[in-house]
Amino acid sequence: MKLYELSQLPFKERFKFVNDLLESNTELSTDEKLVIDIFEATNEWFQKPTNQCEPNLISKLKDEKWGLPPFFETIYEIQEKYLIEKLSKNERQRIFDECKETWCLYYPDFYRISEIMLEFNTNEMLVEFRKHSPPSFIRERASEVYKKCLSYKVKLKNHKIDNLGYSYTPGSYCIDFSKVILFTNEYADWGQKASYFWNKIYSLQDKYNSLYAYEDWKRYIKHSEVLKEKKEEIQKLHDDTLTLLNAGNEMVLKHNKAITEEYNTNAFEMSIYERELEIALTCDVNNASEEEYCYVYTLECELFVFYVGIAGSPRERFEQHIRGAFSNESNLFKSKFIQKFHSEVKQKIIYEGTRRDCKKFEREYISKYNPLGNMTEGGEG
């Protein structure tokens, strides 16, 4: 018989069962041995002279007419707690797990609690949220939106993006600063709520799984109203957390739409987001031979130079720029200049030599003139 099953017997029946075990020659289970030890420890307490109790408690308990001494149940539970805590961690975990399995069978409120706890470990959004607050599926989207606000000239590290950059000045942005502030403030408010819920879930997980919580759950099980309140509390935390995560998703999507429209309409310089897109599109040239003969060219209109690049075939590359500006590269910053000054755009060769030498010249040129359409410091291709 398992420990929980034994603990559900009335004390007189439990003692009779233990007494029968002591008088038999059968091999005892771990839990049966534990219950015997608990009864013996309880008896020793009552036999102490300082407790002024019946010294022959065990023999009196064999009499069906003899009642239990006062506080017997309390002392028994104290001894039970003490002896269980002396067991190995694996044995204590086994007892706790077996009790939870049995509680699920007989107590609907605890069964619902166990279902919710399982969902915290299986629901995709909740699992990601437990790893980190804010969860990556919201934090990464928010960072992408924030990059659309920042000037490509700003130097960033990932941990600064996570905080959405409160240290930056209005001059660091390429769109209306008020829209940036609205986004970062709403994200910060949401993040504070997320942090609060993360701590609540962490505490709940510890409460449900920790071996030190075993006695607390036994107390909840013993008092049905307390167990019901606990179930309702956990249910509310579960529902509120999912509501919060969905609200975070909607909040980021809302600001992404507004900021993207603002950038496409009113941006006065390239964003980090656009810079990263262009770098991704140009990275395939990195494997070209360093000894290949190339040309450094500019794209310019009547007013200024807005882009500098390297190509083995400048004319072909120029035609690609024009076609791409109105198709697959329409989102790039240099394409915005081509779209606006299409009839005036010209290509000019400013240097020629090996690709290695062209890269060096391109870096120096960008450093000196800082063309608005270039996303990097040059020298990539």
Side-chain angles (χ1 to χ4, degrees), residues 247-288:
N249 259 330
E250 292 173 5
M251 180 264 297
V252 173
L253 289 173
K254 176 190 71 174
H255 284 287
N256 181 48
K257 181 179 179 181
I259 286 171
T260 300
E261 289 177 356
E262 167 70 12
Y263 179 80
N264 290 337
T265 306
N266 299 317
F268 53 86
E269 63 182 12
M270 190 184 310
S271 69
I272 286 180
Y273 178 76
E274 294 289 341
R275 174 182 182 177
E276 291 180 348
L277 284 179
E278 188 168 47
I279 290 172
L281 287 172
T282 59
C283 67
D284 60 337
V285 302
N286 290 340
N287 295 325

Side-chain angles (χ1 to χ4, degrees), residues 62-84:
K62 294 179 181 179
D63 185 349
E64 293 293 332
K65 298 179 181 180
W66 191 267
L68 290 173
F71 308 114
F72 181 91
E73 184 174 346
T74 300
I75 300 304
Y76 180 92
E77 289 182 347
I78 291 173
Q79 297 299 335
E80 180 184 53
K81 179 176 182 294
Y82 173 71
L83 290 175
I84 288 177

Side-chain angles (χ1 to χ4, degrees), residues 169-365:
T169 63
S172 302
Y173 300 97
C174 55
I175 65 171
D176 182 356
F177 185 54
S178 64
K179 289 183 172 60
V180 182
I181 287 295
L182 183 62
F183 170 49
T184 55
N185 284 347
E186 283 194 25
Y187 184 81
D189 289 343
W190 179 86
Q192 286 185 338
K193 294 175 184 176
S195 179
Y196 169 79
F197 278 91
W198 188 91
N199 285 315
K200 293 278 285 185
I201 291 172
Y202 180 89
S203 176
L204 173 61
Q205 291 282 335
D206 188 57
K207 189 73 170 177
Y208 185 77
N209 295 310
S210 172
L211 294 175
Y212 297 103
Y214 173 59
E215 291 297 321
D216 292 331
W217 286 108
K218 283 173 59 180
R219 185 171 65 255
Y220 299 151
I221 292 296
K222 187 178 291 187
H223 301 92
S224 60
E225 287 302 314
V226 177
L227 182 63
K228 183 180 179 181
E229 289 176 6
K230 196 68 182 174
K231 183 258 296 183
E232 291 173 350
E233 174 190 329
I234 293 173
Q235 181 72 63
K236 186 175 187 305
L237 176 61
H238 167 270
D239 296 345
D240 289 350
T241 301
L242 287 178
T243 298
L244 178 79
L245 294 176
N246 286 321
N249 259 330
E250 292 173 5
M251 180 264 297
V252 173
L253 289 173
K254 176 190 71 174
H255 284 287
N256 181 48
K257 181 179 179 181
I259 286 171
T260 300
E261 289 177 356
E262 167 70 12
Y263 179 80
N264 290 337
T265 306
N266 299 317
F268 53 86
E269 63 182 12
M270 190 184 310
S271 69
I272 286 180
Y273 178 76
E274 294 289 341
R275 174 182 182 177
E276 291 180 348
L277 284 179
E278 188 168 47
I279 290 172
L281 287 172
T282 59
C283 67
D284 60 337
V285 302
N286 290 340
N287 295 325
S289 170
E290 293 287 278
E291 304 306 319
E292 177 187 2
Y293 199 82
C294 294
Y295 302 86
V296 180
Y297 64 90
T298 59
L299 296 182
E300 51 189 79
C301 59
E302 186 177 345
L303 299 175
F304 51 79
V305 172
F306 60 86
Y307 185 78
V308 59
I310 299 172
S313 177
R315 186 63 191 172
E316 181 180 341
R317 184 67 182 118
F318 178 68
E319 291 172 356
Q320 289 174 351
H321 283 308
I322 300 301
R323 289 195 303 270
F326 296 94
S327 57
N328 63 308
E329 294 183 355
S330 61
N331 61 316
L332 299 181
F333 208 69
K334 68 173 182 291
S335 297
K336 298 180 187 296
F337 289 100
I338 295 174
Q339 293 161 12
K340 186 171 183 179
F341 302 103
H342 182 205
S343 60
E344 302 175 29
V345 174
K346 297 177 181 178
Q347 183 188 56
K348 182 179 179 181
I349 304 299
I350 57 175
Y351 185 81
E352 56 184 283
T354 63
R355 184 174 293 275
R356 180 186 294 103
D357 291 338
C358 287
K359 286 180 179 181
K360 181 175 182 294
F361 181 88
E362 182 190 39
R363 281 194 298 269
E364 293 171 351
Y365 186 95

Side-chain angles (χ1 to χ4, degrees), residues 14-240:
R14 208 182 311 176
F15 172 76
K16 184 176 184 305
F17 180 83
V18 170
N19 190 59
D20 291 342
L21 288 175
L22 287 170
E23 294 177 354
S24 71
N25 293 321
T26 58
E27 185 175 351
L28 303 181
S29 69
T30 302
D31 286 356
E32 290 168 342
K33 292 176 182 178
L34 179 60
V35 172
I36 290 173
D37 291 342
I38 295 169
F39 264 100
E40 290 180 345
T42 304
N43 183 45
E44 288 178 7
W45 187 91
F46 277 96
Q47 289 187 49
K48 289 180 181 179
T50 52
N51 295 326
Q52 299 180 356
C53 294
E54 175 58 58
N56 298 314
L57 175 65
I58 294 297
S59 60
K60 291 287 183 71
L61 284 175
K62 294 179 181 179
D63 185 349
E64 293 293 332
K65 298 179 181 180
W66 191 267
L68 290 173
F71 308 114
F72 181 91
E73 184 174 346
T74 300
I75 300 304
Y76 180 92
E77 289 182 347
I78 291 173
Q79 297 299 335
E80 180 184 53
K81 179 176 182 294
Y82 173 71
L83 290 175
I84 288 177
E85 287 178 350
K86 289 179 66 177
L87 297 174
S88 70
K89 182 178 179 180
N90 288 341
E91 274 298 298
R92 290 162 58 203
Q93 188 67 61
R94 177 189 64 80
I95 291 171
F96 193 12
D97 290 342
E98 287 179 354
C99 283
K100 284 191 280 192
E101 290 176 7
T102 309
W103 293 337
C104 283
L105 294 175
Y106 296 105
Y107 300 93
D109 286 336
F110 188 84
Y111 178 72
R112 179 56 192 150
I113 289 173
S114 70
E115 285 186 317
I116 297 170
M117 298 309 299
L118 178 62
E119 190 167 349
F120 275 116
N121 292 315
T122 56
N123 179 284
E124 188 175 348
M125 284 202 303
L126 294 174
V127 168
E128 191 60 39
F129 183 45
R130 285 180 57 219
K131 292 178 183 177
H132 192 279
S133 177
S136 60
F137 63 89
I138 292 179
R139 185 179 70 253
E140 289 172 3
R141 289 176 187 171
S143 295
E144 186 175 279
V145 175
Y146 190 58
K147 288 177 182 179
K148 293 180 180 180
C149 307
L150 284 171
S151 164
Y152 77 100
K153 299 175 183 178
V154 173
K155 303 295 183 182
L156 285 176
K157 291 184 178 179
N158 287 336
H159 71 273
K160 292 182 179 178
I161 279 284
D162 282 350
N163 297 325
L164 298 189
Y166 284 111
S167 62
Y168 300 121
T169 63
S172 302
Y173 300 97
C174 55
I175 65 171
D176 182 356
F177 185 54
S178 64
K179 289 183 172 60
V180 182
I181 287 295
L182 183 62
F183 170 49
T184 55
N185 284 347
E186 283 194 25
Y187 184 81
D189 289 343
W190 179 86
Q192 286 185 338
K193 294 175 184 176
S195 179
Y196 169 79
F197 278 91
W198 188 91
N199 285 315
K200 293 278 285 185
I201 291 172
Y202 180 89
S203 176
L204 173 61
Q205 291 282 335
D206 188 57
K207 189 73 170 177
Y208 185 77
N209 295 310
S210 172
L211 294 175
Y212 297 103
Y214 173 59
E215 291 297 321
D216 292 331
W217 286 108
K218 283 173 59 180
R219 185 171 65 255
Y220 299 151
I221 292 296
K222 187 178 291 187
H223 301 92
S224 60
E225 287 302 314
V226 177
L227 182 63
K228 183 180 179 181
E229 289 176 6
K230 196 68 182 174
K231 183 258 296 183
E232 291 173 350
E233 174 190 329
I234 293 173
Q235 181 72 63
K236 186 175 187 305
L237 176 61
H238 167 270
D239 296 345
D240 289 350

